[in-house]
Amino acid sequence: MAAYSLDLRTRVVRACESGISPAAVAARYDVSLAWVYRVLQRRRDTGSIAPRKQTKCRGRALSGDEEARLVGLITARPDATLAELPHALPTRAALSTLWRTIDRLGLTVKTNGTRRRTATA
């Protein structure tokens, strides 16, 4: 979601400074009361009403080379389980990271190791 414009922020602050209650300002400009209080607090703390800088999300744990090796491992050994892949792929990534990468790439792996079939006694 994009940040509210600086124009709206300025109008909200001016309305609050003119003596209108924050609840009335929130209703008038169709914003939440909590947002009005946050804008006012931000101005008190920093002197600015501009939105904070967007933070970047964390990058991928597996590099492009590791992803290519992972694809090669899965295509070469389709019967390998998810638990066996980190040993064949030298990475410190967790199983959940490997699973999300495999899912994003549209590949499938076995979830269980080989089991004995049940036989009649």
Side-chain angles (χ1 to χ4, degrees):
M1 184 173 156
Y4 286 125
S5 69
L6 196 56
D7 177 51
L8 176 64
R9 291 168 181 268
T10 306
R11 286 183 282 148
V12 165
V13 169
R14 282 187 189 152
C16 288
E17 286 175 345
S18 70
I20 302 173
S21 73
V25 171
R28 179 178 181 183
Y29 291 107
D30 196 28
V31 294
S32 71
L33 180 60
W35 182 81
V36 172
Y37 282 126
R38 279 195 304 268
V39 169
L40 294 173
Q41 181 180 6
R42 180 162 171 77
R43 195 188 76 175
R44 266 193 320 269
D45 293 345
T46 65
S48 170
I49 58 172
R52 289 181 300 179
K53 186 178 180 242
Q54 287 283 339
T55 58
K56 285 186 157 185
C57 64
R58 206 166 90 189
R60 293 204 171 134
L62 294 177
S63 67
D65 292 339
E66 289 175 329
E67 281 187 15
R69 278 188 289 191
L70 182 64
V71 170
L73 281 171
I74 292 172
T75 54
R77 289 186 47 207
D79 60 336
T81 64
L82 183 62
E84 294 170 354
L85 289 176
H87 302 295
L89 180 72
T91 183
R92 291 179 20 184
L95 282 179
S96 58
T97 302
L98 290 176
W99 172 248
R100 281 193 301 272
T101 304
I102 291 167
D103 190 42
R104 183 175 45 81
L105 294 172
L107 301 171
T108 58
V109 292
K110 286 180 65 165
T111 54
N112 298 318
T114 1
R115 295 183 182 164
R116 288 188 317 151
R117 285 220 170 254
T118 55
T120 56

